Amino acid sequence: MDDAEIRRRYGTVSLDPDDDVVAGTYGSWTITYTVGAIGMDDGARLKLAANSTSDWGPPQFEDPAADNYCTVETDGDASVEGRYDTQGHVRPFRNVIEVSVSDGALAEGDQITITLGVRGEGSLGLVMQSFPERDFRLIGLVDAFETGEFVELTDELTIDVVGGPARRLHAVAPSHATPGEDIEVAVRAVDYWGNVADGYEGSLSIETGDGDRLATVEADDGIARADVSLDDPAVHRLTVVDADRDLRTTTNPVVCTDDADGTVYWGDIHGQSGETVGTGTAREYLDFARDSAFLDFASHAGNDFQITPEFWAQLRELIAEYNDPGDFVTFLCYEWSANTPNGGDHNVYFRGDEAEIHRSSLWQVEDGTDRARGTYPAEALYEVYEGRDDVLIIPHRGGRPATLDAYDPDLTPFVEILSVWGIFEWYGQEALERGYDVGFVAGSDDHTGRPGASHPTNEADWAFPIKGGLMAARGDDLSRPSLWDAFTDRRVYGTTGARILLDVQVAGERMGGDVSVTGSPEIDVTVHGTAPIREIDLVRGSDRVATRSFVEGADLVEVAWTGARSTDRHKVQDWSGSLGLDRGRIADVSAVGFDHPDAGVVRRRDTSLRWDGSTAGNTQSLRLDLDAPEDATMTVATDPVTTSARLDDLPHSVDAGGVERRLTIRRTGTSSRLDADVTFWDEDAPEGRHPYYVRVTQENGEMAWSSPIFVTVE
């Protein structure tokens, strides 16, 4: 049946207005459905489906005074009622507004009018999703006969969602430079939500830390790039200034030296686009990774059961097209997406462009009962690629949490311990406890078209509660062979997104290596931070054996919470709560680790605070400057924990169960140390082979984890 015949029989649907809308802003839209020739019977339904990745709305039909209020009405001889269902259609268009017809029927030409974001009784309207998307789409579907079978309407309901005005700058430079040679400094202006600020134009000054100007560059549509040269062998952090708007930022550290032993490159090899369950196209995804996130390397990891043969062919061509050694390196990948009892999510990476996909199922590729055919469980996947030196299989804790029951040391050199789903350091520790020789990396698992610079779309919901991480790899040059060697040798590490430079060595062996020592291991750590370094932890296996703190003073009181409610898909723990002092006052407060811009302190009084916050393995904290007597009592109330402690009886810590959930109240100070060279000795190390890794925490909450060094103590 052609499109014209579908419109004639089943009806048409339109959207007004269809102008561009700024991400995260409120609006009001009218959707009009005109009934087709077959009419709509009593009990018939109309659906409008949106991508489940979107954090719009959610639409509600009950409270005119609340945000996202919507109405539905008809000019026909029937009643209509609207509701919202987050599981109302087929993946990825599962977020559904459903309109049901009752007490009558609708004839050809009758109309159903849905108003999204009704204003006038207190509601601001309906809030659009917090990230840009060309052609944010609603799909219209109609069941005219009350059968449960829906026909998709052919009219396009689309809106372009764009970035908002610039709120801050983010600048990136290479992690290493040679004196006298040009390097590129790349800058993006970002809006309230962390999106590239569409339309931003400004004159940017790039300066040394001493204020000497190196270059001036004009930004275009939120992006600027400039070549600069550094002469002094040192660790540099360059400043980028938009004097007209009073915007200022600092680049990541750049080590300028003539004798660099390899270069640290930055990438995000985990995310997907709208051809599977993300947003935007794969081409737009790769464009963003290269041109807006300023990554050195990237990959596209779509769910296998959604990758059609046509898209797999297209993806292979795109990955080959975008691979540009020396500038931007790409790797072909798919996400093997079996249900968790069969192994869970594993990303399969290829060194070259020619590769055959072995899907866990054909669930959205073919119809009928054959959809369940595939390669599973995980042991079968590993068997398929056994003996290959051009394939890697990387488990991760995403929508279908991966088990670690299947393992091949030649295929799995590292595991992912951070993504937008949360922080899973415990997962890496589990792999080490099983005796696996694995490194640690981080990524985004981005679904919003922002690989390498993804931000949370939900504050306390079950998915995407934190910003995505980055993977660092030390190689001789920016090419597939060099990076692949870094992957297989575990010369990799992960961060929460900050380009923290981290080097760990034992007896001259770098992270990922294997070395034997006599007596107590000596672990040398060098860190160049993007903000002051708060502390460095040395971990043997899953045991923290030493900490070096750079905090000075103890004039603040910190209230911190961490952990997750479970290890499964729905792992986010809501920590929203309040604290109060029985005497004294709160002179000042700073919030740390709140990735979502709407989270943090929402009410402050002299003796009390209220905040919105949640964790999924990450940590959030409030650092308080108190004017209160030492015998004052602080009470903290959250859903997992309610507790009280006197200020002269700190630290105070409460185990909240779940996955490493804990609330702590302690005295603390601040650090100003940007660079650190630290040596740890594990004097209590037993004989045998042990994995040692380092965890770095900065003042701003950003973190980094090294890959372990496997040390045999003799």
Side-chain angles (χ1 to χ4, degrees):
M1 189 181 302
D2 62 22
D3 290 354
E5 188 64 13
I6 290 176
R7 285 194 291 271
R8 187 186 73 82
R9 293 186 182 183
Y10 294 97
T12 61
V13 63
S14 63
L15 171 69
D16 183 60
D18 58 2
D19 303 329
D20 293 358
V21 58
V22 174
T25 60
Y26 288 87
S28 183
W29 295 269
T30 299
I31 297 172
T32 303
Y33 169 67
T34 302
V35 178
I38 60 176
M40 292 188 77
D41 205 358
D42 193 319
R45 289 175 292 166
L46 170 71
K47 288 183 178 181
L48 300 167
N51 194 305
S52 58
T53 297
S54 179
D55 58 352
W56 71 319
Q60 56 94 7
F61 295 84
E62 292 79 32
D63 186 356
D67 291 344
N68 308 310
Y69 179 60
C70 305
T71 61
V72 56
E73 56 188 11
T74 182
D75 60 1
D77 188 16
S79 297
V80 288
E81 183 178 6
R83 71 183 188 95
Y84 186 62
D85 183 358
T86 59
Q87 300 291 327
H89 189 51
V90 177
R91 173 192 174 103
F93 287 88
R94 293 188 295 189
N95 289 343
V96 168
I97 295 170
E98 181 179 293
V99 178
S100 58
V101 177
S102 63
D103 296 330
L106 300 181
E108 181 178 9
D110 289 344
Q111 292 186 330
I112 296 175
T113 302
I114 305 166
T115 304
L116 305 180
V118 178
R119 294 162 167 163
E121 295 188 49
S123 172
L124 290 173
L126 184 136
V127 65
M128 183 45 69
Q129 67 187 28
S130 64
F131 55 92
E133 182 180 3
R134 183 174 58 84
D135 291 341
F136 167 81
R137 182 183 176 203
L138 293 173
I139 295 175
L141 306 113
V142 64
D143 168 18
F145 299 100
E146 196 193 6
T147 63
E149 296 184 44
F150 286 81
V151 172
E152 183 173 331
L153 303 175
T154 59
D155 299 295
E156 291 286 335
L157 304 179
T158 60
I159 304 171
D160 285 348
V161 185
V162 300
R167 295 285 295 267
R168 59 191 184 277
L169 303 175
H170 184 83
V172 168
S175 290
H176 295 88
T178 300
E181 295 186 4
D182 282 350
I183 62 171
E184 182 182 74
V185 176
V187 186
R188 66 176 175 268
V190 298
D191 68 7
Y192 176 82
W193 304 97
N195 306 308
V196 175
D198 285 359
Y200 167 84
E201 296 179 354
S203 181
L204 303 176
S205 174
I206 302 175
E207 305 170 355
T208 67
D210 296 327
D212 297 329
R213 181 172 296 181
L214 298 175
T216 300
V217 62
E218 298 297 321
D220 180 24
D221 211 15
I223 301 294
R225 295 175 182 267
D227 290 334
V228 301
S229 176
L230 302 175
D231 296 325
D232 298 330
V235 178
H236 297 267
R237 295 172 179 85
L238 306 180
T239 301
V240 179
V241 180
D242 179 344
D244 293 337
R245 296 176 177 83
D246 195 25
L247 299 176
R248 175 183 296 265
T249 192
T250 303
T251 69
N252 52 284
V254 183
V255 177
C256 186
T257 179
D258 278 315
D259 57 355
D261 184 10
T263 297
V264 172
Y265 298 105
W266 296 93
D268 183 0
I269 60 173
H270 190 183
Q272 56 185 309
S273 57
E275 288 90 346
T276 48
V277 75
T279 51
T281 67
R283 182 176 291 278
E284 290 170 333
Y285 171 98
L286 292 170
D287 282 340
F288 185 95
R290 181 189 62 191
D291 301 332
S292 297
F294 316 128
L295 295 179
D296 297 313
F297 60 95
S299 185
H300 180 286
N303 295 109
D304 60 356
F305 59 78
Q306 291 182 276
I307 298 177
T308 64
E310 294 77 17
F311 180 50
W312 183 241
Q314 175 193 351
L315 192 59
R316 287 169 53 192
E317 292 176 0
L318 277 173
I319 293 298
E321 175 189 339
Y322 276 76
N323 186 53
D324 185 10
D327 183 33
F328 181 62
V329 174
T330 55
F331 292 95
L332 183 63
C333 172
Y334 69 90
E335 182 180 73
W336 184 83
S337 306
N339 290 331
T340 294
N342 283 320
D345 289 336
H346 291 64
N347 288 350
V348 181
Y349 298 93
F350 300 93
R351 187 173 55 198
D353 296 320
E354 300 297 325
E356 181 181 354
I357 183 171
H358 292 272
R359 298 176 181 82
S360 59
S361 75
L362 302 171
W363 202 252
Q364 290 191 282
V365 175
E366 292 189 5
D367 295 325
T369 56
D370 281 348
R371 291 186 299 168
R373 285 191 296 111
T375 300
Y376 63 89
E379 288 81 359
L381 177 71
Y382 278 82
E383 185 176 344
V384 166
Y385 295 113
E386 184 178 5
R388 297 273 294 269
D389 64 0
D390 63 338
V391 178
L392 298 179
I393 302 176
I394 308 303
H396 64 89
R397 305 293 294 190
R400 287 154 296 276
T403 65
L404 291 168
D405 296 334
Y407 170 70
D408 183 329
D410 295 325
L411 294 173
T412 305
F414 51 82
V415 298
E416 183 185 89
I417 64 168
L418 181 149
S419 72
V420 290
W421 295 88
I423 294 176
F424 325 113
E425 185 176 353
W426 57 266
Y427 185 59
Q429 292 175 348
E430 179 185 341
L432 297 178
E433 289 168 356
R434 288 174 177 246
Y436 298 166
D437 290 358
V438 294
F440 296 162
V441 301
S444 68
D445 197 3
D446 178 71
H447 289 41
T448 66
R450 301 175 293 180
S454 59
H455 289 262
T457 57
N458 295 289
E459 177 193 341
D461 206 348
W462 61 271
F464 313 152
I466 68 171
K467 63 186 180 70
L470 289 179
M471 173 184 181
R474 182 180 292 272
D476 295 328
D477 58 62
L478 184 55
S479 66
R480 279 185 182 170
S482 177
L483 289 173
W484 195 264
D485 287 345
F487 295 171
T488 57
D489 292 343
R490 301 184 295 265
R491 286 182 276 113
V492 294
Y493 64 94
T495 80
T496 50
R499 300 193 184 201
I500 301 166
L501 277 178
L502 173 61
D503 189 24
V504 182
Q505 298 188 37
V506 176
E509 189 72 32
R510 274 201 163 109
M511 68 175 75
D514 205 316
V515 66
S516 296
V517 301
T518 301
S520 300
E522 180 180 321
I523 298 94
D524 297 312
V525 181
T526 300
V527 182
H528 301 299
T530 62
I533 303 162
R534 190 167 179 83
E535 62 184 22
I536 303 173
D537 297 317
L538 175 67
V539 184
R540 184 207 315 132
S542 57
D543 298 323
R544 185 177 64 176
V545 296
T547 296
R548 186 67 55 87
S549 174
F550 299 96
V551 172
E552 298 177 353
D555 54 336
L556 303 176
V557 172
E558 180 182 64
V559 182
W561 50 90
T562 188
R565 62 170 295 275
S566 79
T567 62
D568 299 315
R569 182 191 295 256
H570 298 262
K571 56 182 66 67
V572 177
Q573 174 61 57
D574 188 357
W575 285 96
S576 299
S578 59
L579 68 81
L581 286 173
D582 67 344
R583 279 173 293 166
R585 70 183 186 94
I586 301 168
D588 199 7
V589 59
S590 60
V592 179
F594 294 82
D595 288 347
H596 196 286
D598 284 349
V601 176
V602 296
R603 190 191 72 195
R604 175 183 163 189
R605 296 174 178 170
D606 276 356
T607 59
S608 66
L609 291 174
R610 182 171 291 279
W611 64 87
D612 287 339
S614 60
T615 63
N618 53 308
T619 298
Q620 296 177 334
S621 65
L622 300 174
R623 295 176 189 158
L624 308 170
D625 181 7
L626 301 180
D627 180 11
E630 285 298 300
D631 61 350
T633 295
M634 175 182 290
T635 298
V636 179
T638 67
D639 182 57
V641 171
T642 296
T643 189
S644 298
R646 281 172 46 129
L647 299 183
D648 58 4
D649 193 26
L650 300 181
H652 177 75
S653 185
V654 181
D655 186 339
V659 183
E660 300 179 349
R661 287 187 308 197
R662 180 169 293 277
L663 186 141
T664 301
I665 310 171
R666 64 173 182 172
R667 294 281 186 181
T668 192
T670 58
S671 169
S672 59
R673 185 80 168 266
L674 286 169
D675 305 283
D677 286 298
V678 173
T679 298
F680 291 101
W681 288 271
D682 186 7
E683 298 178 353
D684 298 324
E687 292 185 354
R689 188 168 181 268
H690 310 288
Y692 287 88
Y693 71 91
V694 164
R695 176 176 57 237
V696 178
T697 304
Q698 296 188 157
E699 277 289 309
N700 59 1
E702 299 280 5
M703 300 178 71
W705 295 262
S706 75
S707 281
I709 300 175
F710 297 86
V711 181
T712 300
V713 180
E714 299 176 343

